[in-house]
Amino acid sequence: MAKDLKTMFIRCCGYLQDPHHVASFQKFCGVQGSFPVKLSRKEWENDFFVNGACVKRHQDQSGNGAGHVGGQQIEGPLQRKSVTAGEQHNDCSSKLQHGTALVSGIGETTEQQIVSHEGNRQSSGCRLIGKPSKVVASDRENADSSGRVKPLRRNSLTGDVGQEFIIQNKFLFYLFTFGSELGNEMFFIVFFPFLIWNVDAFVSRRILVVWIWNLFLGQSTKDIVRWTRPASPPVVKVEVFYNSEYSMPSTHAMSGTAIPFSLFLLTYGRWQYPFLFGLSLAICWSFLVCVSRVYMGMHSVLEVITGFLYSLLILAVFQSTLDQIDSFYLTSHHAPLVIVILHVGLGFLAFTLDSWSTSRGDTAQALGTGAGAALASHLNHQLGLLADPPLSSLPLALPPLSAALLARSLLRLLLGVVVLLATRAAMKAATIPLACRVFGLPAGDVRQARQHMEVELSYRYIVYGTVSFSCVCLVPLLFSYLNLS
């Protein structure tokens, strides 16, 4: 019985990991890739593409595949594997470990590309990129009416700008782009300050703790599991910014679940509003972020579901300890030392899990943000600044909306975010060259320099620690000086 359940669970995971489900959802939502048409099986056995050039493959005496590109012979075995439905049961576990399991129907045969981790992360060298083909004529016809677009941002690691694709439903494109942005840096640099300056610093401190632990555990799990992104084709990469990272679990789904549900749990009972309103907002927020990651082609269904459940587990563990953590950060004389050691130590731990990737930088960025905010909260408490409302005033009533209230809130937000962005730009311009000079590294290529742990850790902690410290402590002082509190 237990063995049957395990087998069923593995098959279910393999089914949910299938990139064809992602491609089908994208097609349903009006996303069409500019992929070439698949050749016949016989043509595929004789041809493949290496670095964009057609290669004729033949078998040498040793049985290895070899080919020619531009008159030069390419040696080595063909990196692909034929998987039949009968073999799928025995091979499912190893496929899941690589995040590339393809589930086919009865009697079907699927072609699977097996690419090494290092091959995915390097733009140089020969690599198999898919079945050769003829250009799709219908793509050009659809492009005339719908228009071709490219991902909004290039890949942060490789500089890849991505492949053109066709959007046939612009409403869903903008909706899911917005949902995806709810897990990106610019949203956090607006959301958390707005919460601190205009809503409730008490709630924001606790949400920051949950968010930081979600990102640390999620990104670290990615580097341990090491599943690659959904295969393209068949998936259309509507977003390529995070394409170099591993994908299991979806940290967008994790943060998109942790933030709205922790916001609901921390504010309901503290603020007066209907229960169903708060719960519905949290569910819709989380659902939009999770579905957007499938739409963007960044995650399989399994990875999004795993991120959602993983985040709920972390939230359940930390929810009962948030009061103790916040009280320690505010009142303990040892808090500054513990905050620095904890957040820096977790950053060093994250950097030992795998070779350099953007996920490690994101982890250090979240930890640096948490350290700066915690230190600023401790200083505020010691100086008697931004005091929390007394318990006797709870539950807090939502103030009536007025033009003056909206204008004051927007003015605080705009002025404060401008200060934070200016602080980030100035610290970024100064920190990377300084770190390169201190550690004796060349500073000419910023991207290459940031692949060194010493530079990346220094940059992330100093820049985002300063930004979050300014957000929690210095900007509110500026508001007091300008009579905007």
PDB file of all heavy atoms in Angstrom, residues 290-311:
ATOM      1  N   CYS A 290       0.998  33.383  -8.073  1.00  0.00           N
ATOM      2  CA  CYS A 290       1.306  31.991  -8.407  1.00  0.00           C
ATOM      3  C   CYS A 290       1.021  31.693  -9.876  1.00  0.00           C
ATOM      4  O   CYS A 290       1.863  31.108 -10.579  1.00  0.00           O
ATOM      5  CB  CYS A 290       0.504  31.048  -7.512  1.00  0.00           C
ATOM      6  SG  CYS A 290       1.022  31.028  -5.775  1.00  0.00           S
ATOM      7  N   VAL A 291      -0.144  32.094 -10.365  1.00  0.00           N
ATOM      8  CA  VAL A 291      -0.505  31.810 -11.755  1.00  0.00           C
ATOM      9  C   VAL A 291       0.383  32.592 -12.712  1.00  0.00           C
ATOM     10  O   VAL A 291       0.730  32.108 -13.807  1.00  0.00           O
ATOM     11  CB  VAL A 291      -1.991  32.130 -11.996  1.00  0.00           C
ATOM     12  CG1 VAL A 291      -2.361  31.937 -13.463  1.00  0.00           C
ATOM     13  CG2 VAL A 291      -2.872  31.234 -11.129  1.00  0.00           C
ATOM     14  N   SER A 292       0.805  33.795 -12.320  1.00  0.00           N
ATOM     15  CA  SER A 292       1.645  34.609 -13.196  1.00  0.00           C
ATOM     16  C   SER A 292       2.978  33.938 -13.481  1.00  0.00           C
ATOM     17  O   SER A 292       3.545  34.109 -14.565  1.00  0.00           O
ATOM     18  CB  SER A 292       1.881  35.991 -12.574  1.00  0.00           C
ATOM     19  OG  SER A 292       2.773  35.926 -11.473  1.00  0.00           O
ATOM     20  N   ARG A 293       3.483  33.147 -12.541  1.00  0.00           N
ATOM     21  CA  ARG A 293       4.779  32.498 -12.766  1.00  0.00           C
ATOM     22  C   ARG A 293       4.682  31.380 -13.802  1.00  0.00           C
ATOM     23  O   ARG A 293       5.639  31.113 -14.528  1.00  0.00           O
ATOM     24  CB  ARG A 293       5.334  31.946 -11.448  1.00  0.00           C
ATOM     25  CG  ARG A 293       5.502  32.984 -10.367  1.00  0.00           C
ATOM     26  CD  ARG A 293       6.199  34.223 -10.885  1.00  0.00           C
ATOM     27  NE  ARG A 293       7.596  33.986 -11.181  1.00  0.00           N
ATOM     28  CZ  ARG A 293       8.337  34.791 -11.921  1.00  0.00           C
ATOM     29  NH1 ARG A 293       7.809  35.854 -12.486  1.00  0.00           N
ATOM     30  NH2 ARG A 293       9.608  34.514 -12.132  1.00  0.00           N
ATOM     31  N   VAL A 294       3.523  30.736 -13.864  1.00  0.00           N
ATOM     32  CA  VAL A 294       3.301  29.749 -14.923  1.00  0.00           C
ATOM     33  C   VAL A 294       3.136  30.466 -16.259  1.00  0.00           C
ATOM     34  O   VAL A 294       3.708  30.061 -17.277  1.00  0.00           O
ATOM     35  CB  VAL A 294       2.068  28.879 -14.607  1.00  0.00           C
ATOM     36  CG1 VAL A 294       1.830  27.860 -15.723  1.00  0.00           C
ATOM     37  CG2 VAL A 294       2.250  28.164 -13.277  1.00  0.00           C
ATOM     38  N   TYR A 295       2.375  31.539 -16.269  1.00  0.00           N
ATOM     39  CA  TYR A 295       2.163  32.323 -17.496  1.00  0.00           C
ATOM     40  C   TYR A 295       3.496  32.827 -18.043  1.00  0.00           C
ATOM     41  O   TYR A 295       3.717  32.821 -19.262  1.00  0.00           O
ATOM     42  CB  TYR A 295       1.238  33.491 -17.185  1.00  0.00           C
ATOM     43  CG  TYR A 295       0.986  34.422 -18.361  1.00  0.00           C
ATOM     44  CD1 TYR A 295      -0.075  34.206 -19.228  1.00  0.00           C
ATOM     45  CD2 TYR A 295       1.810  35.525 -18.574  1.00  0.00           C
ATOM     46  CE1 TYR A 295      -0.307  35.063 -20.298  1.00  0.00           C
ATOM     47  CE2 TYR A 295       1.593  36.382 -19.644  1.00  0.00           C
ATOM     48  CZ  TYR A 295       0.528  36.144 -20.509  1.00  0.00           C
ATOM     49  OH  TYR A 295       0.321  36.994 -21.560  1.00  0.00           O
ATOM     50  N   MET A 296       4.386  33.272 -17.163  1.00  0.00           N
ATOM     51  CA  MET A 296       5.670  33.806 -17.599  1.00  0.00           C
ATOM     52  C   MET A 296       6.629  32.729 -18.093  1.00  0.00           C
ATOM     53  O   MET A 296       7.689  33.039 -18.635  1.00  0.00           O
ATOM     54  CB  MET A 296       6.334  34.577 -16.450  1.00  0.00           C
ATOM     55  CG  MET A 296       5.613  35.856 -16.071  1.00  0.00           C
ATOM     56  SD  MET A 296       5.755  37.087 -17.370  1.00  0.00           S
ATOM     57  CE  MET A 296       4.561  38.312 -16.817  1.00  0.00           C
ATOM     58  N   GLY A 297       6.285  31.459 -17.884  1.00  0.00           N
ATOM     59  CA  GLY A 297       7.152  30.375 -18.315  1.00  0.00           C
ATOM     60  C   GLY A 297       8.327  30.131 -17.404  1.00  0.00           C
ATOM     61  O   GLY A 297       9.282  29.450 -17.784  1.00  0.00           O
ATOM     62  N   MET A 298       8.261  30.667 -16.188  1.00  0.00           N
ATOM     63  CA  MET A 298       9.370  30.536 -15.253  1.00  0.00           C
ATOM     64  C   MET A 298       9.256  29.309 -14.352  1.00  0.00           C
ATOM     65  O   MET A 298      10.248  28.872 -13.776  1.00  0.00           O
ATOM     66  CB  MET A 298       9.473  31.795 -14.384  1.00  0.00           C
ATOM     67  CG  MET A 298      10.003  33.020 -15.105  1.00  0.00           C
ATOM     68  SD  MET A 298      11.769  32.901 -15.524  1.00  0.00           S
ATOM     69  CE  MET A 298      11.674  32.339 -17.221  1.00  0.00           C
ATOM     70  N   HIS A 299       8.044  28.780 -14.189  1.00  0.00           N
ATOM     71  CA  HIS A 299       7.859  27.660 -13.266  1.00  0.00           C
ATOM     72  C   HIS A 299       6.830  26.681 -13.797  1.00  0.00           C
ATOM     73  O   HIS A 299       5.890  27.071 -14.503  1.00  0.00           O
ATOM     74  CB  HIS A 299       7.413  28.154 -11.885  1.00  0.00           C
ATOM     75  CG  HIS A 299       8.467  28.886 -11.126  1.00  0.00           C
ATOM     76  ND1 HIS A 299       9.526  28.249 -10.524  1.00  0.00           N
ATOM     77  CD2 HIS A 299       8.630  30.211 -10.882  1.00  0.00           C
ATOM     78  CE1 HIS A 299      10.299  29.150  -9.934  1.00  0.00           C
ATOM     79  NE2 HIS A 299       9.771  30.351 -10.136  1.00  0.00           N
ATOM     80  N   SER A 300       7.009  25.431 -13.416  1.00  0.00           N
ATOM     81  CA  SER A 300       5.993  24.422 -13.680  1.00  0.00           C
ATOM     82  C   SER A 300       4.892  24.532 -12.633  1.00  0.00           C
ATOM     83  O   SER A 300       5.032  25.231 -11.617  1.00  0.00           O
ATOM     84  CB  SER A 300       6.612  23.024 -13.638  1.00  0.00           C
ATOM     85  OG  SER A 300       7.006  22.705 -12.310  1.00  0.00           O
ATOM     86  N   VAL A 301       3.803  23.808 -12.869  1.00  0.00           N
ATOM     87  CA  VAL A 301       2.701  23.803 -11.905  1.00  0.00           C
ATOM     88  C   VAL A 301       3.167  23.231 -10.572  1.00  0.00           C
ATOM     89  O   VAL A 301       2.818  23.735  -9.498  1.00  0.00           O
ATOM     90  CB  VAL A 301       1.519  22.982 -12.460  1.00  0.00           C
ATOM     91  CG1 VAL A 301       0.381  22.918 -11.454  1.00  0.00           C
ATOM     92  CG2 VAL A 301       1.021  23.575 -13.781  1.00  0.00           C
ATOM     93  N   LEU A 302       3.982  22.185 -10.614  1.00  0.00           N
ATOM     94  CA  LEU A 302       4.481  21.563  -9.389  1.00  0.00           C
ATOM     95  C   LEU A 302       5.309  22.538  -8.565  1.00  0.00           C
ATOM     96  O   LEU A 302       5.171  22.603  -7.334  1.00  0.00           O
ATOM     97  CB  LEU A 302       5.317  20.327  -9.731  1.00  0.00           C
ATOM     98  CG  LEU A 302       5.960  19.595  -8.553  1.00  0.00           C
ATOM     99  CD1 LEU A 302       4.895  19.013  -7.625  1.00  0.00           C
ATOM    100  CD2 LEU A 302       6.911  18.505  -9.044  1.00  0.00           C
ATOM    101  N   GLU A 303       6.161  23.311  -9.207  1.00  0.00           N
ATOM    102  CA  GLU A 303       7.031  24.239  -8.488  1.00  0.00           C
ATOM    103  C   GLU A 303       6.229  25.360  -7.826  1.00  0.00           C
ATOM    104  O   GLU A 303       6.568  25.798  -6.723  1.00  0.00           O
ATOM    105  CB  GLU A 303       8.059  24.820  -9.462  1.00  0.00           C
ATOM    106  CG  GLU A 303       9.061  23.793  -9.953  1.00  0.00           C
ATOM    107  CD  GLU A 303       9.750  24.182 -11.239  1.00  0.00           C
ATOM    108  OE1 GLU A 303       9.421  25.260 -11.798  1.00  0.00           O
ATOM    109  OE2 GLU A 303      10.608  23.419 -11.705  1.00  0.00           O
ATOM    110  N   VAL A 304       5.168  25.805  -8.472  1.00  0.00           N
ATOM    111  CA  VAL A 304       4.326  26.846  -7.896  1.00  0.00           C
ATOM    112  C   VAL A 304       3.545  26.301  -6.703  1.00  0.00           C
ATOM    113  O   VAL A 304       3.461  26.952  -5.642  1.00  0.00           O
ATOM    114  CB  VAL A 304       3.372  27.409  -8.970  1.00  0.00           C
ATOM    115  CG1 VAL A 304       2.299  28.278  -8.330  1.00  0.00           C
ATOM    116  CG2 VAL A 304       4.146  28.211  -9.999  1.00  0.00           C
ATOM    117  N   ILE A 305       2.974  25.106  -6.845  1.00  0.00           N
ATOM    118  CA  ILE A 305       2.237  24.498  -5.734  1.00  0.00           C
ATOM    119  C   ILE A 305       3.165  24.260  -4.550  1.00  0.00           C
ATOM    120  O   ILE A 305       2.808  24.515  -3.392  1.00  0.00           O
ATOM    121  CB  ILE A 305       1.573  23.180  -6.187  1.00  0.00           C
ATOM    122  CG1 ILE A 305       0.470  23.467  -7.213  1.00  0.00           C
ATOM    123  CG2 ILE A 305       1.000  22.432  -4.996  1.00  0.00           C
ATOM    124  CD1 ILE A 305      -0.151  22.222  -7.795  1.00  0.00           C
ATOM    125  N   THR A 306       4.370  23.785  -4.825  1.00  0.00           N
ATOM    126  CA  THR A 306       5.344  23.552  -3.755  1.00  0.00           C
ATOM    127  C   THR A 306       5.698  24.851  -3.042  1.00  0.00           C
ATOM    128  O   THR A 306       5.787  24.900  -1.817  1.00  0.00           O
ATOM    129  CB  THR A 306       6.613  22.899  -4.324  1.00  0.00           C
ATOM    130  OG1 THR A 306       6.269  21.676  -4.985  1.00  0.00           O
ATOM    131  CG2 THR A 306       7.604  22.597  -3.217  1.00  0.00           C
ATOM    132  N   GLY A 307       5.920  25.925  -3.798  1.00  0.00           N
ATOM    133  CA  GLY A 307       6.220  27.219  -3.187  1.00  0.00           C
ATOM    134  C   GLY A 307       5.092  27.719  -2.313  1.00  0.00           C
ATOM    135  O   GLY A 307       5.321  28.248  -1.227  1.00  0.00           O
ATOM    136  N   PHE A 308       3.857  27.547  -2.775  1.00  0.00           N
ATOM    137  CA  PHE A 308       2.688  27.962  -2.002  1.00  0.00           C
ATOM    138  C   PHE A 308       2.606  27.205  -0.673  1.00  0.00           C
ATOM    139  O   PHE A 308       2.462  27.811   0.398  1.00  0.00           O
ATOM    140  CB  PHE A 308       1.430  27.732  -2.838  1.00  0.00           C
ATOM    141  CG  PHE A 308       0.142  27.969  -2.103  1.00  0.00           C
ATOM    142  CD1 PHE A 308      -0.320  29.254  -1.882  1.00  0.00           C
ATOM    143  CD2 PHE A 308      -0.603  26.911  -1.621  1.00  0.00           C
ATOM    144  CE1 PHE A 308      -1.512  29.482  -1.193  1.00  0.00           C
ATOM    145  CE2 PHE A 308      -1.790  27.118  -0.934  1.00  0.00           C
ATOM    146  CZ  PHE A 308      -2.245  28.403  -0.719  1.00  0.00           C
ATOM    147  N   LEU A 309       2.732  25.879  -0.727  1.00  0.00           N
ATOM    148  CA  LEU A 309       2.621  25.066   0.485  1.00  0.00           C
ATOM    149  C   LEU A 309       3.823  25.285   1.417  1.00  0.00           C
ATOM    150  O   LEU A 309       3.676  25.315   2.646  1.00  0.00           O
ATOM    151  CB  LEU A 309       2.513  23.583   0.111  1.00  0.00           C
ATOM    152  CG  LEU A 309       1.255  23.194  -0.683  1.00  0.00           C
ATOM    153  CD1 LEU A 309       1.306  21.716  -1.057  1.00  0.00           C
ATOM    154  CD2 LEU A 309      -0.009  23.502   0.111  1.00  0.00           C
ATOM    155  N   TYR A 310       5.000  25.440   0.838  1.00  0.00           N
ATOM    156  CA  TYR A 310       6.215  25.687   1.618  1.00  0.00           C
ATOM    157  C   TYR A 310       6.079  26.990   2.399  1.00  0.00           C
ATOM    158  O   TYR A 310       6.437  27.078   3.582  1.00  0.00           O
ATOM    159  CB  TYR A 310       7.398  25.745   0.660  1.00  0.00           C
ATOM    160  CG  TYR A 310       8.770  25.625   1.285  1.00  0.00           C
ATOM    161  CD1 TYR A 310       8.947  25.296   2.621  1.00  0.00           C
ATOM    162  CD2 TYR A 310       9.913  25.841   0.518  1.00  0.00           C
ATOM    163  CE1 TYR A 310      10.221  25.177   3.169  1.00  0.00           C
ATOM    164  CE2 TYR A 310      11.179  25.724   1.044  1.00  0.00           C
ATOM    165  CZ  TYR A 310      11.327  25.404   2.371  1.00  0.00           C
ATOM    166  OH  TYR A 310      12.580  25.284   2.913  1.00  0.00           O
ATOM    167  N   SER A 311       5.536  28.012   1.746  1.00  0.00           N
ATOM    168  CA  SER A 311       5.358  29.301   2.406  1.00  0.00           C
ATOM    169  C   SER A 311       4.358  29.210   3.553  1.00  0.00           C
ATOM    170  O   SER A 311       4.570  29.802   4.619  1.00  0.00           O
ATOM    171  CB  SER A 311       4.892  30.344   1.386  1.00  0.00           C
ATOM    172  OG  SER A 311       4.729  31.600   1.984  1.00  0.00           O
TER     173      SER A 311
END
